[in-house]
Structure formats: structure tokens, C-alpha cells
Amino acid sequence: MTPAEMNWAGNITFGARRLCVPRSEAELQETVAASASVRALGTRHSFNTVADTTGDLVSVAGLPRVVDIDPEERSVTVGAGLRFGEFAGELHESGFALHNLGSLPHISVAGACATGTHGSGVGNRSLAGAVRALEMVTADGGRTTLRRGDDDFAGAVVSMGALGVVTRLTLDLVPAFDVQQWVYEDLPEAALTGGFDEVMAAAYSVSVFTDWRPGPVGQVWLKQRVGEEGPGQAPAEWLGARLADGPRHPIPGVPAGNCTRQQGVPGPWHRRLPHFRLEFTPSNGDELQSEYFVAREDAAAAYEAVARLRDRITPLLQISEIRTVARDDLWLSPASGRESVAFHFTWVPDGEAVAPVLAQIEEALAPFGARPHWGKVFGTAPDVLRTLYPRHGDFVKLMDRYDPAGTFRNDFLDRHFPG
């Protein structure tokens, strides 16, 4: 493998013997059927070994491009390897939108859905929540389609590639809408902990950014649907925070040029719901990421538990983001079965220094049943993870049924979902 076969952050070097980029589904089927060990590789934005293998890595980014909009069904079928930013504009031009987007438009549809990646909004499910159907190549090289309502569907959407190589997904659509984005600075910490629901419900999508230092919370990004939420001009003060006087990057001091437009300039949903623009390097680049989901009713208590560790966190932190995710019924979604709040940490790229701090955060959040993001750095023990997902055992049975020979297994899956 070459440096190009590292993950996006550069903290994981894949151990695969080769990287395959089939140009047709028939070629993909042949590749999978001939391999004893294979893993699907998306846009490499995972920060752990969830996609790694000692066998073959397979990218579906080379398959023929598919963007099939069905206006009557309000759905779109897309190639699994497409990045969200590569087809969102077509949806908008056709009068449609996805219900939500992540902070980065650079991530692939299949990879984002398979790991439970999300955006924000008290009424907005994760990106996987929009999946209506998925098509995949199974271990014997065959093809199968699962649709919402099928017995195995809820276990297959957030599955980390354990059941097959997903080639297409059908996603729910909503009517297109415009968004205006405002940034507020220095929200009093008491306003957040004492009125968490009010803060997070203030717009269609809300993100709170903090470095966990004592004093006010750094920034609150409010993404309002134009004409449906809030005034055309935001007030100069809101809950004790002040309106930013110019564009901001989530990390203080970093130029905001690669961020989506702010200061209330209206724009299409796909150019405002992400934090970062497709044409620029995503986020900060040189970093590690971790994230933990707790029930929204525990948000203030969980915040205070993390805040007690601020002296350990801040020396290693670039920025932290707090978002809400609506509940779903997908077996391994971190928001499965509960309205959730996600505490995200963007760390300096020093895994050895970050690991003990992560252990302390996980211990602090343990009373709240904190679920880690499947694609980010975490140390939660496998026996603990089993208790956090009521359908964990059912998923292990699903893996055994779809992949009895363990073609799609790797060390990550063996550790967290032993057969």
C-alpha cells in the first residue's frame, strides 16, 4: 500500500494487500466472490480501523455514476460511492432536498450511512435515517436488495460493511428549501446547561462549539429555514450571546474561507447545512476525532460531567461540537431508540496523548449509556458496547447469516461483534 492508501487524517495505514476499484457491478461481483477477505472503502474519513483488512479493499467510487430521481415517490437512488456534495445540487435543481447533511459534503453516501454519521437538528434523523432501500453485493458475489419494512432492513443500514458491499442506496427526499446561517459568540454556559432544549431548538439545525475552557461557550451556529424560522435579520443579542460581526471558522483563529456562507446570506440547503464547502479541504485536516451519543434528556448532566475534565481536555483539543440527532429504529445507529445529543471532539493528531483522556471521558459519560461513533476513535470495551444496543445479538446473527465464511469480517468487527 502507498501513502494514498491511508485514511483521510493519516492516523491509519491500511493493511490490505491491494486496493480494487471495479468499473462495473459485474467486475465488483467477481472481485468479491474471488476474495477470502474483503472490505468496502469509502472516502476514508473514518479515524479507526473499521474499514481495514489484510485482504482486499474495494472502492465503489469507480462504478458508473447513478443519480435517479423519482419525483412521484420523492426519492433518489444514488451510487454508494458518490459524495453528498456531488449530487446535492442536482436534487436542488429538481426541486428536492435531503432532510439533512453532515458537516462535510465530502463524505460518501454509503460510508456515512454505514457508520451512523449525522448532521444536527432536534427533528432531524441521522443521514442513515433517509435510507429507503439499499442494494449490495454479498459474499458469494450475488446481489440483494433490502427495503424499509423488510425483516433485515433495520439491521443492514448501519452495518459497517459487515453484510456486503453496498452499491446503491435509495433515499427519501423533501421539497427543496433555502437556509440562512447565523453565528453567535460567547453564549453563557448557564444558558446552555439551563436551557439546552431552547438552544438546540432555536433553528432547523444548531451546532454548539466549545473548547471547554471556563467561561462562555465559544460559538453557536444557527441554520434557519428561510421564511419558516426566525426573523430575516437576527437580533444582535440572543440568550446573552452576541451576533458575530463577520464569518467564523469553528476553530478560533482559523480563517473562515472554507466554511459555508454565514451572516444570514440565504442559500440552497446543500450550501448551508454543511459547515464546510466542497471545493475546499474539509475541516482542519490534521486531527483525530471522537464522538459520543447520550439521550437528549441527559444532555445538561452529560455536559457538566465532561466539563469537570476540562483541564485534561483543553490542552489536546482543537474544538468540540455539540449537536442533536432525532431517534430512529436502526439497530446499530447511535441514535437508535432515543432522542440524542452528540458530543464531538476534534483532537490534535497525537493518539498516545489522547487515549487516556478519552478513557476519562468515557468513564464520565458511562452513567448516561454513551454510544461512540462507529467511525471515530474510541476505547469503549466490547462488553460495554453489547449492553448499549438491544439488538446487538440480533446483528451478530445477521452477520453470520449473510456472511457465514466471514468474508467481510476484520479485527474491528471481530472485537466488537464476535461470532
Side-chain angles (χ1 to χ4, degrees), residues 108-415:
S108 69
V109 181
C113 293
T115 54
T117 299
H118 58 97
S120 187
V122 294
N124 298 329
R125 295 166 297 164
S126 72
L127 305 181
V131 176
R132 182 180 297 192
L134 59 86
E135 302 174 32
M136 63 183 175
V137 172
T138 51
D140 60 0
R143 296 170 60 181
T144 191
T145 299
L146 292 172
R147 297 177 176 83
R148 187 181 290 150
D150 290 349
D151 289 343
D152 298 337
F153 177 82
V157 179
V158 181
S159 63
M160 291 159 280
L163 308 183
V165 179
V166 176
T167 56
R168 299 184 184 193
L169 297 103
T170 300
L171 309 174
D172 294 330
L173 296 178
V174 298
F177 56 96
D178 287 342
V179 173
Q180 54 188 152
Q181 180 170 215
W182 307 98
V183 176
Y184 281 87
E185 298 180 300
D186 295 334
L187 177 74
E189 194 171 54
L192 178 63
T193 58
F196 185 86
D197 289 341
E198 180 181 3
V199 171
M200 302 309 289
Y204 184 79
S205 174
V206 177
S207 291
V208 174
F209 291 98
T210 179
D211 58 13
W212 296 101
R213 288 184 169 85
V217 175
Q219 299 177 14
V220 182
W221 290 33
L222 304 178
K223 301 172 188 279
Q224 298 176 327
R225 288 179 64 131
V226 173
E228 297 183 20
E229 296 179 337
Q233 175 60 45
E237 292 188 7
W238 169 72
L239 299 180
R242 68 178 186 276
L243 188 64
D245 60 5
R248 296 291 189 266
H249 190 284
I251 302 175
V254 175
N258 63 346
C259 296
T260 50
R261 290 287 298 275
Q262 302 162 22
Q263 299 182 282
V265 178
W269 56 279
H270 62 96
R271 295 187 180 275
R272 295 295 182 272
L273 291 180
H275 299 330
F276 301 98
R277 298 162 62 183
L278 181 65
E279 59 267 32
F280 288 92
T281 300
S283 190
N284 196 45
D286 197 11
E287 63 194 44
L288 299 176
Q289 293 184 10
S290 301
E291 188 170 31
Y292 300 92
F293 298 69
V294 304
R296 196 184 306 161
E297 63 194 41
D298 294 325
Y303 179 96
E304 291 169 352
V306 174
R308 287 193 282 271
L309 299 171
R310 62 174 90 237
D311 290 343
R312 296 295 311 275
I313 292 172
T314 54
L316 300 172
L317 188 73
Q318 296 192 47
I319 199 64
S320 187
E321 181 179 8
I322 304 170
R323 290 177 286 180
T324 52
V325 189
R327 65 180 294 165
D328 58 50
D329 62 354
L330 305 176
W331 294 0
L332 295 185
S333 166
S336 181
R338 65 190 192 188
E339 305 292 336
S340 298
V341 57
F343 291 87
H344 184 277
F345 303 86
T346 299
W347 305 102
V348 298
D350 186 343
E352 185 175 346
V354 168
V357 179
L358 270 187
Q360 290 185 308
I361 291 174
E362 290 170 355
E363 182 179 4
L365 292 178
F368 310 108
R371 297 167 174 168
H373 189 295
W374 292 113
K376 299 180 182 179
V377 180
F378 66 89
T380 307
D383 60 334
V384 174
L385 276 176
R386 283 196 292 272
T387 69
L388 300 177
Y389 290 94
R391 303 299 298 269
H392 184 283
D394 293 327
F395 184 73
V396 173
K397 294 176 182 177
L398 199 64
M399 291 173 63
D400 292 341
R401 182 152 50 85
Y402 274 79
D403 184 22
T407 300
F408 300 114
R409 280 191 169 272
N410 64 358
D411 289 344
F412 182 94
L413 293 173
D414 286 343
R415 183 164 65 253

Side-chain angles (χ1 to χ4, degrees), residues 65-94:
R65 188 177 188 276
V66 175
V67 180
D68 185 7
I69 300 171
D70 187 331
E72 292 187 2
E73 292 294 326
R74 285 194 176 184
S75 69
V76 61
T77 299
V78 297
L82 282 178
R83 300 182 296 168
F84 282 94
E86 292 176 330
F87 68 94
E90 292 178 51
L91 298 183
H92 188 77
E93 291 173 2
S94 298

